[in-house]
Amino acid sequence: AATPTVAAGRTPAGRTRRPRVVVTSTFGVYPPRGGGQNRLYYLYRALASEWDVEIVSVARSGEPAYRGEIAPGVFETRIPKTRRHAEAETALEARIGQPVTDVAMPRLIALTPDYEAALRAAVAGARWIVASHPYLLPAIEAVRGSVPLVYEAHNVEVDLKERALAGSRAGRDLLGLTRAVEGAACREATLITACSRADADRLDALYGDVAGKAAIVPNGVDLASVPFVPASERAARKQACGLGDGLLALFMGAWHPPNLEAAEHLLGYARELPDVTFLLVGSVCSALEGRSLPGNVAPAGVVDDAFKAFLLSCADVALNPMVSGRGRT
């Protein structure tokens, strides 16, 4: 954690005041590792060439509060969940059988009152407020006043969550909450950004009045952060770390329903291709704990940026066997 550099919503001393946009997030953004973190970090880092950006995010319970400049012109204020919030979330997870951090947020964010206070401070004087995902909309509506709302739709949330939540009464209750908050975000927003035209059309079919205010902002990639490594050097690196000279296939993903589906496909591929080593990286590996895996599947779990860069420099091929979610586009 960093020592706060400036109060939320304030322009640092010596910096020219620019128009400012506030972004809400149910997860901490920096350092960016998961797909959602990368989208927010790189998208708003680019926007910060012309605007100041204030991200107000929610951290895990027990983590220190954080305030810092995470990229030129991009500030993150991170508020940890209270113990009461975390306990309520854990109780819901026990009933449903999987993480519910985001879908439970509309109901539980009031249990972390410091979040609303930080958001209120950030919104003062802002030109826009962005709901990155719809789940913090109750906190946004409590503080935004006349500040116009942008809804940044990473997915069609009700479709994405249905597979995970429809199997239990508690899950169906949260699915109904997801539909309600996603619909409200679409209705209240002046502008909606979607990752694909298909998502924008689906949101319009579900909630109406979307097509006329939707813009497509697809997921991208930061090519500058991943240098090209020639095949001969990749082979040498594999040999040096004991991976032999066989084909190394890499999949990276966070714990996210489309990524869990992709991991299941990879296990099937691994059984059919015993001479290929399948390396899985990220919190998606947590879903495989305790399972009997093919001998050529290696779950590495969550790794830091340096080790991720090393693995990318060794792999022969990157895989993305996704059939749902915007990570497939």
Side-chain angles (χ1 to χ4, degrees):
T3 301
T5 58
V6 62
R10 301 290 181 84
T11 301
R15 173 169 293 174
T16 302
R17 182 175 293 276
R18 303 189 299 171
R20 185 162 49 83
V21 60
V22 174
V23 183
T24 63
S25 174
T26 59
F27 49 81
V29 171
Y30 189 83
R33 293 192 175 123
Q37 291 174 317
N38 276 280
R39 178 179 172 88
L40 266 68
Y41 179 76
Y42 289 104
L43 179 63
Y44 293 106
R45 188 179 74 172
L47 181 63
S49 64
E50 298 184 15
W51 292 62
D52 283 331
V53 179
E54 175 84 31
I55 300 172
V56 186
S57 62
V58 182
R60 290 188 292 268
S61 179
E63 290 186 359
Y66 172 87
R67 166 69 182 170
E69 188 170 21
I70 61 175
V74 182
F75 297 85
E76 182 174 8
T77 298
R78 197 177 306 149
I79 305 298
K81 287 177 273 193
T82 63
R83 178 178 296 180
R84 187 181 174 199
H85 183 155
E87 289 173 348
E89 183 180 312
T90 299
L92 277 172
E93 289 177 351
R95 294 170 63 191
I96 295 172
Q98 68 166 43
V100 296
T101 296
D102 53 358
V103 293
M105 198 66 73
R107 181 173 296 168
L108 301 183
I109 190 57
L111 300 179
T112 300
D114 284 353
Y115 184 83
E116 183 177 314
L119 187 59
R120 187 182 300 277
V123 167
R127 294 278 189 90
W128 293 87
I129 184 167
V130 179
S132 187
H133 293 95
Y135 300 110
L136 286 164
L137 189 64
I140 292 171
E141 290 301 306
V143 305
R144 78 178 178 97
S146 61
V147 179
L149 174 69
V150 177
Y151 172 40
E152 184 187 357
H154 290 236
N155 301 277
V156 179
E157 296 295 323
V158 71
D159 289 349
L160 179 68
K161 302 299 185 182
E162 184 173 14
R163 294 184 297 277
L165 297 176
S168 67
R169 179 177 295 180
R172 289 189 293 272
D173 178 54
L174 287 181
L175 186 62
L177 180 61
T178 298
R179 180 183 295 271
V181 75
E182 183 174 51
C186 289
R187 289 189 297 272
E188 294 297 323
T190 300
L191 171 68
I192 297 170
T193 65
C195 293
S196 71
R197 174 54 58 187
D199 276 6
D201 291 345
R202 175 60 174 157
L203 290 170
D204 188 66
L206 285 168
Y207 307 114
D209 194 29
V210 169
K213 54 185 179 182
I216 308 306
V217 183
N219 288 319
V221 61
D222 178 33
L223 295 174
S225 67
V226 185
F228 175 73
V229 177
S232 58
E233 189 174 341
R234 290 177 185 274
R237 292 186 182 191
K238 283 193 298 181
Q239 289 282 358
C241 63
L243 292 172
D245 55 6
L247 192 68
L248 177 63
L250 175 66
F251 173 70
M252 295 190 295
W255 180 301
H256 179 52
N259 293 337
L260 303 185
E261 292 175 346
E264 294 296 334
H265 285 295
L266 286 175
L267 297 184
Y269 301 157
R271 295 183 182 97
E272 297 177 9
L273 299 167
D275 295 331
V276 178
T277 298
F278 291 81
L279 180 63
L280 277 62
V281 176
S283 56
V284 66
C285 298
S286 299
L288 305 178
E289 290 179 357
R291 292 179 54 176
S292 177
L293 303 178
N296 58 331
V297 173
V302 177
V303 301
D304 61 25
D305 290 343
F307 191 51
K308 180 179 72 173
F310 173 74
L311 294 176
L312 287 169
S313 75
C314 294
D316 297 290
V317 61
L319 302 178
N320 190 39
M322 301 180 71
V323 296
S324 62
R326 290 284 65 81
R328 73 183 191 277
T329 57

